[in-house]
Amino acid sequence: MTRYYYRPWKDETLIAALHFMRCQVVRDGADGLEHIDALLRLRGVDPDSLPVPDKRPKHFARGKLRIAIMEALRDGPMTGADLARRVQGNGLEYAAA
């Protein structure tokens, strides 16, 4: 006979999952925002206080940034700022501080 052990979710885990779902619904304009907000309120969280970060486009496909960095490092060691300037030509924008 198989026994199943019930492990309740921690509140932090549940709130983080609901926050992630809320971000997706807000960005995509999908239905169900009022239900997610109601679940967050049941957990004692004000949904309007949670940030919804902007979805930023990726400059590189998966693994392409690593290849660009390795190609730039073939010329020898360099600082992070120099490396960013070198890779900038491949589509990555460098903002000098």
Side-chain angles (χ1 to χ4, degrees), residues 22 33 62 70 82:
R22 186 174 194 277
L33 181 61
R62 185 178 181 110
M70 292 299 182
D82 292 337

Side-chain angles (χ1 to χ4, degrees), residues 5-56:
Y5 176 69
Y6 171 71
R7 277 193 253 171
W9 285 27
K10 293 182 180 178
D11 279 343
E12 301 87 30
T13 306
L14 185 57
I15 291 170
L18 288 170
H19 182 206
F20 177 76
M21 288 174 56
R22 186 174 194 277
C23 290
Q24 283 186 327
V25 167
V26 168
R27 280 193 213 117
D28 298 340
D31 295 331
L33 181 61
E34 61 276 358
H35 300 292
I36 295 170
D37 287 350
L39 289 170
L40 284 167
R41 283 190 197 97
L42 282 173
R43 290 289 173 187
V45 177
D46 181 24
D48 296 325
S49 68
L50 295 174
V52 179
D54 295 333
K55 184 107 176 177
R56 299 181 190 269

Side-chain angles (χ1 to χ4, degrees), residues 51-86:
V52 179
D54 295 333
K55 184 107 176 177
R56 299 181 190 269
K58 293 183 179 179
H59 294 288
F60 290 95
R62 185 178 181 110
K64 297 296 180 180
L65 179 59
R66 180 183 306 201
I67 292 170
I69 290 172
M70 292 299 182
E71 287 177 0
L73 288 174
R74 284 186 183 158
D75 297 336
M78 58 183 73
T79 64
D82 292 337
L83 185 60
R85 285 187 196 97
R86 180 73 60 90

